[in-house]
Amino acid sequence: GEVERVNKLICVRPLKTRFNGEVGDVVVGRITEVQQKRWKVETNSRLDSVLLLSSVNLPGGELRRRSAEDELTMRDYLQEGDLISAEVQSVFSDGALSLHTRSLKYGKLGQGVLVQLSPSLIKRQKTHFHNLPCGTSIILGNNGFVWLYPTPGQQDEEAGGYYTSLEPVSLSDREVISRLRNCLLALAAHKVLLYDTSVLYCYESSLPHQIKDILKPEVMEEIVMVTRQKLVEQEG
């Protein structure tokens, strides 16, 4: 792993690790069960995370105390198997995470592709929601789950993060998404930090190749090498 030194204390951060959440991290997770006043969410950490009923926006954006009726309709908001994007609100004493989807940018995820990578490869940044110029948006969850989806048009503020479009996605969008997915896997295989610039450069350097060829070892190596050169030039 990578070595971190603080005076005489030496820590080694392993490359392959579970997600250790901190407050404010953006995560992408999957609902595993619906319980009393809470959802259990799988977020690639040691323990399941908790999403409380009181820390989600109600559809329609109304603000009020949660009643027994809200508890009964919890499955209408989120049910088992749904993917959500959320933010870590607090960390319990045993290390489990408490999530919230209070802001309109979080909520239920609609159509797209989930890529599961190692949390240590995601670079911490101010924002983890990026609209890439190739017509696709990406959510780089701090927990190593990356969500790729076609960039939505104007969104209804009314839905409060529950509106998911079920319109068919055009072939060109699907091709862009699958190319990005293969690029992410290529970068992860070569242990390159993932953030909007590195993903975009990798996408650009993969364009001469067919989508299915990106995962061939020799092509992967070539693409990643070009991406690394571009990143070095950009930083230099």
Side-chain angles (χ1 to χ4, degrees):
E2 50 182 325
V3 179
E4 285 183 0
R5 289 189 60 172
V6 182
N7 301 335
K8 287 192 175 178
L9 174 74
I10 294 183
C11 312
V12 178
R13 289 184 53 195
L15 284 175
K16 207 169 178 188
T17 160
R18 290 296 234 173
F19 169 59
N20 287 326
E22 294 170 24
V23 175
D25 282 353
V26 175
V27 296
V28 174
R30 194 181 283 280
I31 307 280
T32 52
E33 45 182 314
V34 182
Q35 296 177 346
Q36 189 176 9
K37 287 194 185 174
R38 68 189 61 201
W39 290 274
K40 278 282 168 75
V41 189
E42 155 60 27
T43 53
N44 201 16
S45 43
R46 289 175 301 123
L47 300 157
D48 274 352
S49 306
V50 172
L51 176 65
L52 291 170
L53 178 59
S54 56
S55 51
V56 300
N57 278 340
L58 294 172
E62 49 191 329
L63 297 169
R64 53 183 170 80
R65 290 199 51 191
R66 307 295 186 262
S67 60
E69 284 148 28
D70 290 332
E71 272 186 63
L72 295 173
T73 56
M74 274 174 65
R75 271 214 169 75
D76 299 347
Y77 304 153
L78 296 166
Q79 53 186 1
E80 291 90 342
D82 283 352
L83 279 161
I84 57 163
S85 61
E87 188 178 293
V88 178
Q89 189 174 28
S90 58
V91 183
F92 294 122
S93 53
D94 61 355
L97 305 175
S98 169
L99 308 175
H100 81 96
T101 61
R102 280 280 185 193
S103 154
L104 281 177
K105 60 183 179 183
Y106 305 123
K108 186 171 162 183
L109 300 172
Q111 296 185 328
V113 174
L114 179 72
V115 189
Q116 302 188 5
L117 307 165
S118 164
S120 57
L121 293 173
I122 308 285
K123 184 175 178 179
R124 283 183 185 279
Q125 285 188 293
K126 274 221 171 86
T127 169
H128 284 256
F129 292 75
H130 301 291
N131 291 344
L132 300 178
C134 50
T136 305
S137 299
I138 185 169
I139 304 177
L140 291 156
N142 282 102
N143 57 342
F145 287 4
V146 179
W147 179 251
L148 299 164
Y149 60 106
T151 305
Q154 281 310 100
Q155 273 204 330
D156 303 337
E157 300 288 302
E158 287 300 301
Y162 285 95
Y163 170 74
T164 51
S165 100
L166 295 174
E167 292 165 11
V169 182
S170 68
L171 178 65
S172 56
D173 281 351
R174 292 203 301 270
E175 283 177 344
V176 169
I177 289 176
S178 48
R179 183 181 288 277
L180 275 168
R181 172 189 174 272
N182 286 356
C183 286
L184 286 169
L185 293 175
L187 288 172
H190 288 269
K191 305 279 183 282
V192 181
L193 272 184
L194 298 171
Y195 53 109
D196 53 339
T197 323
S198 68
V199 173
L200 193 58
Y201 283 168
C202 184
Y203 175 81
E204 285 167 2
S205 46
S206 77
L207 286 172
H209 302 280
Q210 279 194 323
I211 297 176
K212 62 175 189 286
D213 294 343
I214 297 176
L215 293 181
K216 290 181 178 166
E218 60 276 8
V219 179
M220 203 190 306
E221 212 163 297
E222 180 193 330
I223 291 173
V224 173
M225 204 170 70
V226 175
T227 308
R228 281 198 170 125
Q229 280 170 347
K230 282 188 177 178
L231 286 171
V232 168
E233 283 164 16
Q234 183 233 351
E235 284 161 11

